[in-house]
């Protein structure tokens, strides 16, 4: 549009068409093509981040703030959204069929299984390849979900052998987490593959007892799981009373021990089903078969290999593809030469090859199929275009369309992969008859591609998924070892819960758990040398935490403490002692102490994490529930049942509220819906309620990263509140505070400063001296002053923060010590060491009384005092304090079996991240 007017009639028509599409997003743009493409890219990226991945926590205040979707919190368990999405897509694909295949008789048998009295072994659904097992199970799941809402159905569709979906530990972890999700139970869950498989029957027993109704577990293509009999032993054990298990297998590859189970065998399709399936495909393309042609097809589809669902579907698609323009009789003759699905796929492939215009396109078709075939989990379209620069988007789109339509390829989480195993078998026969040398060449092409990605510091989930697996398949232990020591690759795998996979790679390179831990730690220390600046240090803290959690899961508790402690130190220094990520570090460290049975240490850490979470998120946030659950579990281990029960009830109420608030909606759909409702409500006159609604709207748009619209509503809210309530009302302070946070986000620091100051003035006059809203404004204005270098203005606010914490928690609380340290840091930056000294001394006394004389925080504060004494010329006192600090450090080193030398303070944002020990000066003062 130019000057608000549409540039042409065709554009106007297009806009009118779009207006009827509920999910369309329109971008107005005048300018160059590249600029327009960039705007669209930003828009799509924003939609993905908000609608699919959720959103970051905001610093805005408002009652609807908690409506922002949070990541699902399952204690300390790592949940992979990608694996979950893959399963949802697999289920949708399995249930898509052009017609019903007369499965009613099988549905009755499956229903009988659910109704049968316990105990009952798993039901085996068997059939040949492509007989419709996945289709049957997915259709039955849909019926159960519709007619039996109290029945909990957990399903897993196994994809190609060797793919992520066929890894037993990931399957069991996913099923356990789904059970925990539905029972709202949050307990520590091991990620050690052997223990996970061993403990699953106990989890099933425990969680099924909490569920009101039946639980049905369905695993499709269970025989494709790696070492299925070994890893699925729990199937042989007696199942809990309300649990039923259904598994499907290929009749040829079913393990011998399972053949004794009750079996539902899928019969070949009868002539009526064959006819209806082929006609459904033909009708979709407006193709009409003659009676003679139908008879020929009926006669052909009578053998076991030609009357299964996949073969008949493929046959129907081949005929439909020829359409009214081609020779159907000739196509039928070619099809009748194919006596199984693989040979029919080969005919389909040759038909696609014949439709291509040049040899170059035929070569590209081969390359695409082979490269997808040798990958771990598939290949994306963008990766294909980078692998083959000569491949244009138009040619790729055309090829993918043909391959998808003919059931060769499908999409899974944005990756192209084979739709059926028989399609992959056909590609191997067609293009890879020379064997391992050809496969190895294609793998090498992928290795080079993903290695290049790593060299550009682009560690995505794709390179982490593919590269180590490809090295494993190639048997290249040296390169696999080097790849694993790329900290970001290992972090990516571990954080997505691919623990067993990571462990199997290390076993292949011949490293035991202890040597693996040592190598990771050495790599991290080496990486730390290159870290400069706040952002890289925060990233380093994440790496240390990942290593600590990984070692904890391996049972290496003594080695796990060091990286977790280091992560805590860095976060307290680089962020803020009250930052939610500090709570995360405290929580993880406490978890190690619990396993180590050092309950006193763990309790103190959990309580600190709880306090930080309550201050950061509010008392009714799922993260607060997580800390309450952790404390409850700790008290239970100490037989403190009364305290356990109180915390469990509190946690349950928070989770119940959160579940009601979220409903079944994901992402920002809820926010959008609420925003529309609120906009309708604000058309009325000036009232306090309408002003509050406008504020909520501003928060909602801020959460959607629509800062311009957010600013508009927040300003309207402020103006209305000032008119209705007066400019000194606390609600006006809320609007001012929110606008300040918004300007801070937009880096309009002068505006943010002015508004924070106004909000603080109102809140100081209107609220109690220990009110959380006052503390909030004080904290954020102080941080802003510090960021702007206005240290003189920051001092009274840091002093006020100490006062507020004293009133809230009492003068001897560790939180007060942290506030004292922050104030001391500020004085040091202003070269006012005399004022800083008593603050550090008081903080030291609180830390010693709270944590004991040998706690790391005591050691760090002693080190800071040593620096001040040294700079004040009292070298003897400095040496004595430094000696005490080093004794604590050495005691800690002995306790945890070796620890990296820490160059950073762990008691507040104390010293420069770049400050280091030197022979002459203990530590330099510097700005954070």
């Amino acid at each position: 549009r130019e000057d608000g007017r549409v540039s042409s009639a065709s554009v106007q028509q297009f806009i009118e068409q779009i207006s009827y599409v509920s999910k369309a997003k329109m971008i107005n743009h005048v300018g160059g093509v590249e600029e327009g493409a960039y705007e669209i890219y930003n828009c799509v990226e924003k939609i993905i981040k908000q609608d699919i991945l959720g959103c970051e926590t905001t610093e805005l205040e408002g009652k609807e703030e908690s409506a922002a979707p949070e990541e699902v919190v399952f204690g300390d368990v790592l949940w992979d959204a990608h694996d979950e999405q893959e399963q949802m897509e697999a289920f949708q694909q399995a249930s898509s069929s052009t017609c019903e295949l007369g499965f009613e008789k099988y549905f009755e048998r499956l229903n009988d299984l659910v109704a049968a009295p316990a105990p009952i072994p798993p039901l085996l659904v068997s059939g040949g390849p492509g007989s419709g097992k996945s289709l049957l199970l997915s259709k039955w799941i849909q019926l159960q979900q519709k007619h039996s809402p109290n029945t909990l159905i957990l399903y897993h569709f196994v994809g190609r052998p060797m793919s992520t979906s066929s890894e037993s530990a990931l399957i069991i972890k996913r099923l356990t987490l789904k059970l925990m999700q539905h029972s709202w139970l949050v307990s520590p869950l091991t990620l050690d593959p052997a223990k996970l498989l061993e403990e699953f029957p106990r989890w099933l027993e425990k969680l099924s007892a909490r569920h009101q109704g039946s639980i049905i577990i369905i695993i499709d293509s269970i025989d494709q799981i790696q070492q299925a009999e070994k890893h699925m032993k729990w199937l042989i054990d007696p199942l809990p009373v309300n649990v039923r298990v259904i598994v499907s297998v290929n009749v040829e590859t079913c393990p011998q021990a399972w053949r004794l189970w009750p079996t539902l065998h899928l019969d070949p399709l009868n002539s009526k089903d064959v006819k209806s399936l082929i006609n459904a495909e033909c009708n979709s393309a407006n193709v009409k078969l003659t009676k003679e042609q139908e008879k020929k097809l009926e006669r052909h589809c009578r053998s076991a290999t030609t009357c299964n669902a996949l073969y008949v579907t493929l046959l129907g698609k081949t005929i439909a593809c020829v359409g009214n323009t081609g020779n159907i009789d000739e196509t039928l003759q070619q099809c009748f030469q194919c006596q199984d699905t693989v040979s029919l796929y080969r005919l389909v492939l040759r038909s696609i090859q014949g439709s291509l215009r040049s040899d170059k396109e035929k070569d590209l078709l081969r390359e695409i199929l082979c490269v997808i075939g040798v990958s771990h989990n598939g290949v994306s379209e963008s990766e294909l275009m980078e692998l083959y620069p000569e491949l244009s988007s138009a040619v790729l789109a055309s090829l993918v369309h043909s391959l998808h339509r003919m059931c060769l390829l499908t999409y899974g989480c944005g990756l192209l992969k084979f739709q059926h195993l028989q399609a992959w078998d056909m590609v191997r026969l067609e293009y890879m008859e020379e064997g391992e040398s050809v496969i190895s060449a294609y793998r090498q092409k992928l290795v080079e591609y993903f290695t290049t990605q790593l060299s550009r510091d682009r560690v995505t989930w794709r390179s982490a998924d593919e590269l180590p697996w490809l090295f494993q398949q190639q048997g290249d232990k040296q390169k696999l070892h080097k790849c694993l020591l790329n900290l970001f690759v290992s972090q990516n795998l571990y954080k997505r819960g691919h623990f067993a996979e990571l462990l199997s790679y290390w076993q292949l390179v011949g490293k035991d758990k202890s040597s693996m831990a040592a190598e990771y730690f050495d790599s991290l220390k080496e990486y730390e040398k290159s870290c400069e600046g706040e952002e890289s240090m925060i990233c380093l803290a994440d790496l240390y935490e990942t290593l600590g959690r990984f070692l904890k899961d391996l049972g290496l508790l003594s080695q796990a403490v060091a990286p977790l402690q280091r992560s805590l130190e860095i976060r307290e220094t680089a962020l803020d002692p009250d930052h939610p990520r500090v709570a995360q570090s405290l929580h993880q460290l406490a978890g190690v102490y619990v396993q180590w049975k050092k309950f006193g240490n763990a309790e103190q850490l959990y309580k600190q994490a709880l306090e930080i979470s309550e201050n950061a998120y509010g008392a009714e946030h799922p993260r607060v529930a997580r800390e309450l659950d952790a404390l409850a579990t700790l008290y239970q281990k100490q037989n403190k049942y009364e305290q356990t029960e109180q915390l469990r009830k509190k946690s349950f109420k928070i989770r119940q509220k959160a579940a009601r608030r979220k409903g079944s909606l994901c992402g920002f759909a809820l926010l959008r819906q609420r925003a529309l409702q609120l906009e309708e409500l604000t058309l009325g006159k000036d009232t306090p309620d309408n002003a509050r609604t406008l504020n909520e709207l501003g928060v909602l748009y801020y959460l959607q990263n629509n800062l311009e619209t957010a600013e508009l509503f927040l300003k309207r809210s402020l103006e209305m509140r000032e008119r209705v309530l007066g400019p000194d009302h606390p609600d006006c302070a809320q609007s001012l505070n929110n606008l300040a946070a918004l300007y801070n986000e937009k880096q309009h620091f002068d505006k943010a400063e002015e508004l924070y100051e106004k909000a603080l003035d109102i809140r100081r006059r209107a609220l109690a001296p220990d009110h959380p809203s006052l503390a909030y404004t004080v904290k954020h204005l102080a941080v802003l002053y510090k960021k702007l270098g206005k240290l003189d203005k920051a001092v009274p606010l840091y002093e006020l923060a100490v006062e507020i914490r004293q009133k809230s928690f009492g003068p001897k609380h560790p939180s007060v010590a942290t506030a004292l340290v922050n104030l001391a840091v500020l004085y040091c930056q202003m070269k006012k060491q005399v004022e800083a000294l008593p603050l550090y001394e008081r903080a030291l006394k609180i830390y010693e009384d709270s944590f004991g004389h040998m706690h790391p925080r005591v050691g760090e504060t002693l080190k800071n005092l040593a620096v001040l004494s040294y700079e004040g010329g009292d070298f003897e006192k400095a040496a004595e304090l430094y000696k005490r600090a080093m004794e604590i450090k050495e005691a800690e080193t002995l306790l945890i079996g070796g620890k990296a030398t820490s160059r950073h303070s762990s008691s507040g944002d104390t010293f420069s991240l770049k400050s280091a020990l030197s022979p002459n000066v203990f530590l330099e003062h510097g700005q954070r």
Side-chain angles (χ1 to χ4, degrees), residues 415-560:
L415 301 179
L416 287 164
K417 48 186 78 176
F418 287 103
Q419 197 158 328
H420 299 281
L421 278 174
Q422 293 91 325
W424 169 220
D425 290 339
M426 178 276 295
V427 168
R428 276 188 297 195
L429 288 170
E430 186 72 8
Y431 292 132
M432 299 180 175
E433 283 184 303
E434 293 170 38
E436 195 56 41
S437 60
V438 180
I439 293 172
S440 183
Y442 281 110
R443 280 193 190 133
Q444 188 55 35
K445 190 167 184 71
L446 283 175
V447 164
E448 287 166 7
Y449 172 75
F450 285 114
T451 304
T452 307
Q453 303 293 306
L454 283 191
S455 67
R456 295 175 187 157
D457 291 329
R458 281 173 61 191
V459 180
T460 61
W461 68 272
R462 288 291 297 131
S463 45
D465 261 5
E466 294 290 335
L467 200 51
W469 183 86
L470 287 163
F471 286 137
Q472 182 192 48
Q473 297 304 305
Q474 296 280 59
D476 195 333
K477 294 182 184 179
Q478 191 177 353
K479 285 183 179 172
L480 175 59
H481 189 200
K482 187 182 174 185
C483 181
L484 292 173
L485 287 176
N486 181 317
L487 301 164
F488 294 98
V489 170
S490 297
Q491 182 190 44
N492 194 299
L493 283 170
Y494 175 77
K495 276 197 161 183
R496 289 170 34 239
H498 292 220
F499 182 91
E501 191 180 336
L502 190 52
L503 210 53
S504 71
Y505 293 144
W506 277 103
Q507 286 165 352
L508 184 69
V509 296
K511 301 286 180 182
D512 62 15
K513 291 177 182 180
S514 295
S515 56
M516 175 181 70
E519 286 195 35
Y520 269 137
F521 211 78
D522 290 342
S523 290
L524 256 175
K525 284 191 281 186
E526 194 60 36
Y527 175 75
E528 185 168 354
K529 291 175 186 175
S530 65
C531 287
E532 289 189 6
E534 192 170 293
E535 201 173 315
S536 61
M537 291 306 288
I538 292 167
C539 177
L540 177 67
D542 290 345
L543 288 169
Y544 270 117
E545 184 190 278
T546 302
L547 176 59
R549 292 178 73 171
F550 183 51
L551 298 179
K552 183 183 83 169
D553 288 332
L554 285 170
L556 303 173
L557 300 182
S558 58
Q559 286 101 314

Side-chain angles (χ1 to χ4, degrees), residues 287-386:
V287 173
K288 186 73 177 162
L289 295 175
T290 65
K291 293 286 182 189
E292 184 60 31
Q293 288 166 343
E294 285 182 354
K295 281 181 184 176
K296 284 180 182 177
L297 282 165
E298 190 185 324
R299 281 198 298 273
H300 174 67
C301 298
R302 281 181 179 169
S303 70
T305 55
T306 61
C307 63
N308 68 63
L310 178 56
Y311 182 94
V312 175
T313 301
L314 205 53
L315 190 59
K317 284 183 181 292
T318 307
I319 297 163
C321 199
V322 175
N324 295 312
T325 53
N327 189 330
I328 292 178
D329 287 321
E330 188 182 320
T331 303
L332 288 177
Q333 281 305 115
Q334 292 171 341
C335 291
F336 294 160
Q337 302 301 311
C338 306
Q339 292 301 314
D340 58 37
T341 309
V342 173
S343 58
L344 187 55
Y345 261 128
R346 183 176 272 186
L347 177 66
V348 166
L349 179 65
R350 287 177 180 167
S351 168
I352 293 170
Q353 286 172 334
S355 69
L356 300 177
R357 299 172 195 167
S358 64
D359 289 342
K360 181 186 171 185
E361 287 186 7
K362 289 174 185 174
D363 290 343
L364 286 169
L365 172 66
R366 183 188 67 237
E367 295 295 304
I368 288 168
L369 290 172
C370 290
V371 113
I372 290 169
V374 300
S375 67
H376 188 196
N377 289 314
V379 181
S380 74
E381 290 187 14
S382 59
E383 287 165 353
L384 285 171
M385 291 182 74
E386 287 180 6

Side-chain angles (χ1 to χ4, degrees), residues 800-814:
L800 183 56
V802 174
E803 285 176 36
I804 291 171
R805 289 195 187 189
Q806 284 181 156
K807 284 171 182 164
S808 299
F809 307 113
K812 296 181 180 179
H813 195 276

Side-chain angles (χ1 to χ4, degrees), residues 122-243:
L123 176 71
L124 208 63
V125 176
S126 76
S131 57
K133 301 182 291 292
S134 306
L135 178 62
L136 168 68
L137 291 176
S138 59
K139 291 288 187 189
W140 184 71
I141 290 170
Q142 288 176 332
L143 286 173
Q144 285 293 311
Q145 288 170 336
K146 184 178 178 183
H147 299 301
S148 307
N150 290 333
T151 301
L152 172 59
I153 300 178
L154 307 177
Y155 60 79
H156 189 92
F157 287 81
V158 179
R160 205 177 80 196
M162 307 294 285
S163 68
T164 303
S165 66
S166 68
E167 287 174 14
S168 53
L170 278 177
I171 294 169
I172 294 300
K173 185 199 77 171
R174 180 177 170 271
L175 293 175
T176 309
L177 286 179
K178 297 292 276 185
L179 279 166
M180 289 170 75
Q181 181 185 5
H182 283 277
S183 61
W184 291 358
L185 180 71
V186 179
S187 299
L189 180 67
T190 179
L191 287 184
D192 185 305
K195 286 182 183 172
L196 194 63
L197 295 165
E198 183 188 314
E199 290 176 10
F200 181 67
R202 291 197 286 276
W203 277 110
L204 193 56
E205 186 77 49
K206 182 179 180 180
L207 296 168
S208 64
R210 297 167 68 103
H211 182 70
Q212 301 297 315
S214 300
I215 296 174
I216 302 172
I217 298 174
I218 296 169
I219 305 176
D220 180 48
S221 301
I222 194 169
D223 49 323
Q224 301 295 340
I225 293 173
Q226 299 157 32
Q227 297 178 296
E229 273 188 283
K230 177 185 174 185
H231 296 314
M232 295 288 153
K233 280 182 182 173
W234 60 275
L235 289 167
I236 300 167
D237 299 334
L239 295 165
V241 177
N242 60 334
V243 175

Side-chain angles (χ1 to χ4, degrees), residues 648-784:
R648 287 260 189 258
K649 281 179 179 174
K650 201 173 173 184
S651 164
F652 184 79
K653 280 180 183 174
I654 294 171
R655 293 185 186 283
Q656 202 172 31
K657 250 184 186 176
R660 276 202 298 265
R661 196 166 55 233
K662 278 180 168 178
S664 59
L665 294 168
C666 296
F668 269 34
L670 178 62
L671 294 183
R672 278 208 225 87
Q673 185 183 341
R674 180 75 175 128
L676 289 170
Q677 290 168 352
L678 293 176
E679 283 190 63
E680 288 169 12
L681 291 172
T682 56
L683 300 173
K685 55 189 176 183
D686 287 5
T687 66
D689 282 347
N690 276 350
R692 188 181 68 251
T693 302
L694 285 165
N695 180 68
E696 289 180 8
L697 261 175
V699 173
L700 288 167
Y701 280 113
Y702 181 98
L703 289 170
Q704 296 176 63
N705 208 22
N706 188 341
L707 300 186
E708 284 69 28
T709 311
E711 184 179 355
L712 180 75
F713 281 109
L714 290 174
K715 278 182 173 176
R716 280 179 62 193
S717 168
L718 175 60
E719 289 162 6
M720 192 179 290
R721 280 173 165 170
E722 285 176 339
R723 283 196 301 271
V724 176
L725 303 168
D728 296 330
H729 195 277
D731 284 4
C732 293
Q734 186 192 49
S735 293
L736 288 164
N737 208 95
N738 285 345
L739 268 171
L742 184 137
Y743 287 133
N744 195 31
E745 175 85 4
K746 294 172 81 171
Q747 299 191 348
H748 297 168
F749 298 125
D750 291 343
K751 284 184 181 179
E753 181 185 353
E754 182 189 344
L755 295 174
Y756 272 137
E757 285 173 347
K758 282 185 182 177
L760 178 61
D761 182 51
I762 295 169
R763 285 179 165 172
R764 281 180 111 157
R765 284 185 279 112
L767 302 176
D770 60 345
H771 196 284
S773 293
L774 177 61
Y776 179 96
T777 308
V778 166
K779 174 183 171 181
H780 288 283
L781 182 55
V783 170
L784 182 61

